[in-house]
Amino acid sequence: MKTLGLIGGTSWHSTIVYYKLINQLVGQKIGPQANPPLIIHSINIELMREQNIKKINEKYLEVSRSLEQAGAEAIIICANTPHMTFGYVQPKINIPILHIADATGTQASKLGLKQLGLLGNKPTMTGDFIPNILKTNYQIETIIPEAHCLSQAHHYVSKELTQGIFSEKAKNFFITQIDLLKKRGVDGIILGCTELPLLIKQSEVDIPLLATTDLHAQMAADFILS
């Protein structure tokens, strides 16, 4: 098996989900008597809250280089938002970063989806690190909620979901956003936050949901076993 480096901590709840999923998915192939070689570096989430892009980029580069030196053959970032560092970090290291948008785009293409709604925190929804790859590599368009809804979505993700709080208000809000995005023509929804699939189940909506964490973890397991 190949050794994978994991950059976690943003949030640590998300990192746990990634670690568990990767081990489970690899275990389905090799059996429960063994587990894959993983190297985890957990970053203090305060770094992201400072919103100092230069500082964030430098930290993710530092950690990526340390994982490479420790023997990682690829890196996976265990959250959506920190993929904002991909364009800065990837050219400066010698191993691939497995991008969450590639995992999402591959599955969307299999399902024949061409226009996806994107839900998550504000940096994820308004950033270009997911839409650009989906557009360039998969010819998939991305649509986000209306501007006046972005702050409320960010509040629920950052103040509730990433802290383990799953309220009915949050669920109703995001289901409403899904309905509004459907009316704008999307044929699938990206759940661009690790905790969103815990809040909204596929059985509760009549449009395909793409849970980025699940797809990303499968991409990681495929790499480990490749």
Side-chain angles (χ1 to χ4, degrees):
M1 291 183 286
K2 292 180 179 177
T3 300
L4 184 66
L6 283 69
I7 303 180
T10 56
S11 70
W12 63 264
H13 299 279
S14 173
T15 311
I16 290 172
V17 174
Y18 268 86
Y19 182 76
K20 181 179 180 179
L21 280 173
I22 292 169
N23 276 280
Q24 288 176 334
L25 291 166
V26 172
Q28 291 173 8
K29 298 293 185 181
I30 66 172
Q33 78 287 346
N35 56 284
L38 303 172
I39 307 170
I40 303 176
H41 188 120
S42 186
I43 292 175
N44 188 337
I45 196 171
E46 282 299 318
L47 175 72
M48 300 302 294
R49 292 183 176 139
E50 290 178 19
Q51 298 183 21
N52 183 328
I53 301 302
K54 183 177 185 297
K55 188 175 178 180
I56 293 169
N57 281 339
E58 291 296 338
K59 184 63 176 180
Y60 271 79
L61 176 58
E62 173 194 332
V63 171
S64 297
R65 283 174 170 165
S66 71
L67 289 171
E68 182 178 359
Q69 291 169 1
E73 296 169 81
I75 289 170
I76 192 165
I77 300 172
C78 301
N80 285 267
T81 305
H83 280 78
M84 66 172 67
T85 65
F86 177 85
Y88 180 81
V89 175
Q90 182 63 91
K92 298 177 176 63
I93 60 175
N94 300 308
I95 58 176
I97 298 173
L98 308 180
H99 202 295
I100 200 164
D102 282 314
T104 305
T106 298
Q107 180 64 14
S109 294
K110 288 179 181 177
L111 297 175
L113 306 178
K114 294 297 183 183
Q115 191 157 263
L116 301 176
L118 173 58
L119 299 177
N121 65 18
K122 195 169 183 178
T124 295
M125 291 186 291
T126 59
D128 61 5
F129 51 91
I130 289 179
N132 278 359
I133 287 182
L134 290 177
K135 176 67 173 177
T136 303
N137 296 351
Y138 304 94
Q139 294 73 56
I140 293 173
E141 299 290 342
T142 307
I143 297 177
I144 63 174
E146 298 287 357
H148 65 277
C149 299
L150 298 180
S151 293
Q152 189 64 50
H154 184 81
H155 168 81
Y156 282 128
V157 171
S158 62
K159 301 300 183 183
E160 293 192 12
L161 302 186
T162 55
Q163 297 180 33
I165 301 169
F166 301 94
S167 66
E168 281 301 312
K169 283 186 177 180
K171 174 181 280 195
N172 292 336
F173 171 81
F174 282 109
I175 288 179
T176 297
Q177 295 308 309
I178 290 172
D179 288 338
L180 292 172
L181 287 166
K182 278 172 53 184
K183 291 176 181 177
R184 293 169 62 193
V186 306
D187 51 11
I189 299 290
I190 301 170
L191 298 181
C193 164
T194 304
E195 293 79 13
L196 273 173
L198 302 176
L199 183 72
I200 304 168
K201 305 300 182 186
Q202 181 64 73
S203 60
E204 297 174 307
V205 295
D206 59 357
I207 188 171
L209 300 179
L210 301 175
T212 55
T213 301
D214 294 346
L215 299 172
H216 207 199
Q218 183 64 64
M219 186 183 195
D222 291 343
F223 174 84
I224 290 167
L225 295 168
S226 65

